[in-house]
Amino acid sequence: MTRFRDGDQPVPFVSPGPLPLRDTLAGWQRYRATRGSFVPAPRLDLATWRLLPPRRKMLYDLHRAATHANLPLIATPMSREVEQLLRGRIESNALKQKPTTRAGVMITGGGYQGKTETICEICAGFEDDWVELHRYLNPAALAGMRDMHAPVAYVQTPVTAKPKSTCKAILNFFGADTKNMDLPDLVRHVAASLNDHGTKALVLDDITRLRMHRADDQDVLDLIRAFMSMHVTLVLIGVDIPGSGLLREGRHDPGTGQWVFPPSHNVKVHGLEPTQTERRFDLIELDRFRYTTDEQITAWTAHLTGVEQHLRLMNAAPGMLTAGTMPEYLFRRTDGVVGLLERLIEDGCRHAITTSTETLTEPLLDNIVVSLNGAPGRDATAGEVPNVPATAQKAAGQTGSKKPGQRRNTVFDDHGPASGTGA
């Protein structure tokens, strides 16, 4: 807490406690209730800042750093397409009263492209509306009972997943005791927990941590698909799902655009496959920005305009991120990946404040090296850490032996997973 508003009111820009872990019910509820509550630093000009006492200058600069570290999630044309499909699928499935298998959704894309944050925001928005529709009561609660209502369950796929560890990860979301349970008991408890808590969407993040050459991982995928018998919308998030092997047993239905999977083979004994119903998934890519067509360039520039509005640099002129060659420069530095752009802007703003530059320029950003080595919670072997484009200085050092004007061979460049609509 700090105080430097009119009336000396507190401005909470430092979290008073540990950050919510979304893979628990309490953590998810706290995330849902507090998302979007961050209060950014007020805008001050340089003359006003200079009049502040030293301590208030320090607090204001700290608040600015917190503002740049907590830039809001800005909708993109790609995320709007994902929202339209995912929100519509979850709502339609939640309103079904027929005992039919609910179609699931797979969201694919490269690392640091905002898949998790986008999906969590969409699911949290659905839950906000769903609990309000039911007056914050669980419509599936048993008579005389007050089962907690959890319309959305968010679960991280274990790094070395097995059927038992996957079931335990789901049950841990609900705080259920999993000691001394064999796999059939775990599966039954998962079914009971999803039903008792009124769960409508089960989100399994980082699903491409599964390796389809391992028997355990194949069993996990069978088990996950069988969860669709529990009348929940299964939402799978992963890096490059088409190239991961998760779709190898499926066939693409050109009529519906969905991927169709045969019934699972290894989980019938647990009561999850009472019929031979096929499992269907919509597959959609949350792609990075592109910079080829006029429409794509306009979308990238509009996104930079949205980012610029949330920055607190006192020498920032209008068009700081969008004028001149800056849009092209930022695209070259980030390859259109929103997570890399956020890191570059955040580190650049801190450098601009520290050096009293108070604006972002290409020479200043050339001094910023974005490194994702050892990123916590990321499995590099599963493609969750993208390649970071080199800075202009680094690239010049690497190509110093080339003749002036000689173009670099780009044949083997990795541009990430291709969009479904092409570049």
Side-chain angles (χ1 to χ4, degrees), residues 215-326:
D216 282 337
D217 292 30
Q218 294 175 29
D219 291 343
V220 170
L221 185 58
D222 269 349
L223 179 67
I224 289 172
R225 293 208 305 261
F227 287 157
M228 299 169 77
S229 300
M230 301 177 183
H231 299 163
V232 298
T233 301
L234 195 59
V235 182
L236 307 181
I237 309 172
V239 175
D240 188 20
I241 288 179
S244 68
L246 295 178
L247 304 178
R248 70 182 186 183
E249 295 181 5
R251 61 177 176 84
H252 187 259
D253 184 345
T256 63
Q258 295 176 324
W259 283 85
V260 183
F261 292 85
S264 304
H265 299 293
N266 300 327
V267 293
K268 295 180 182 179
V269 295
H270 306 314
L272 295 181
E273 293 287 342
T275 68
Q276 293 298 308
T277 305
E278 293 177 324
R279 275 48 175 138
R280 292 177 174 268
F281 283 91
D282 292 291
L283 175 67
I284 187 168
E285 180 177 3
L286 183 59
D287 196 14
R288 63 184 177 87
F289 280 95
R290 306 281 170 166
Y291 204 83
T292 303
T293 67
D294 290 343
E295 183 179 1
Q296 293 167 346
I297 294 173
T298 299
W300 173 248
T301 305
H303 184 73
L304 295 179
T305 300
V307 173
E308 184 179 317
Q309 292 173 353
H310 297 282
L311 304 184
R312 298 295 189 265
L313 297 177
M314 290 180 283
N315 288 334
M320 178 178 64
L321 301 183
T322 58
T325 60
M326 183 62 89

Side-chain angles (χ1 to χ4, degrees), residues 375-394:
R378 301 274 181 166
D379 183 1
T381 62
E384 295 170 17
V385 180
N387 295 324
V388 181
T391 64
Q393 293 178 347
K394 184 176 180 181

Side-chain angles (χ1 to χ4, degrees), residues 75-197:
T76 67
M78 300 78 74
S79 68
R80 292 189 188 98
E81 290 184 10
V82 172
E83 180 178 15
Q84 182 178 5
L85 172 64
L86 180 58
R87 179 68 185 255
R89 178 66 62 214
I90 295 175
E91 285 185 352
S92 295
N93 288 345
L95 294 171
K96 286 183 185 294
Q97 299 184 19
K98 299 180 294 183
T100 55
T101 299
R102 275 56 168 164
V105 181
M106 292 183 177
I107 296 92
T108 186
Y112 277 78
Q113 287 178 194
K115 298 183 299 300
T116 296
E117 295 306 316
T118 298
I119 302 315
C120 285
E121 176 62 33
I122 294 170
C123 290
F126 160 77
E127 183 168 336
D128 288 344
D129 295 339
W130 188 256
V131 295
E132 183 178 359
L133 176 66
H134 293 282
R135 299 181 180 180
Y136 299 89
L137 297 176
N138 183 1
L142 299 176
M145 305 294 290
R146 291 180 59 86
D147 293 321
M148 293 188 67
H149 198 186
V152 175
Y154 173 83
V155 179
Q156 283 272 346
T157 303
V159 175
T160 55
K162 295 183 180 181
K164 290 183 68 173
S165 64
T166 303
C167 287
K168 288 182 177 181
I170 297 172
L171 291 172
N172 286 339
F173 177 86
F174 298 106
D177 185 8
T178 60
K179 294 180 180 178
N180 303 321
M181 287 189 189
D182 56 15
L183 182 56
D185 287 337
L186 289 169
V187 172
R188 283 193 292 269
H189 275 73
V190 168
S193 291
L194 294 173
N195 179 72
D196 293 346
H197 290 84

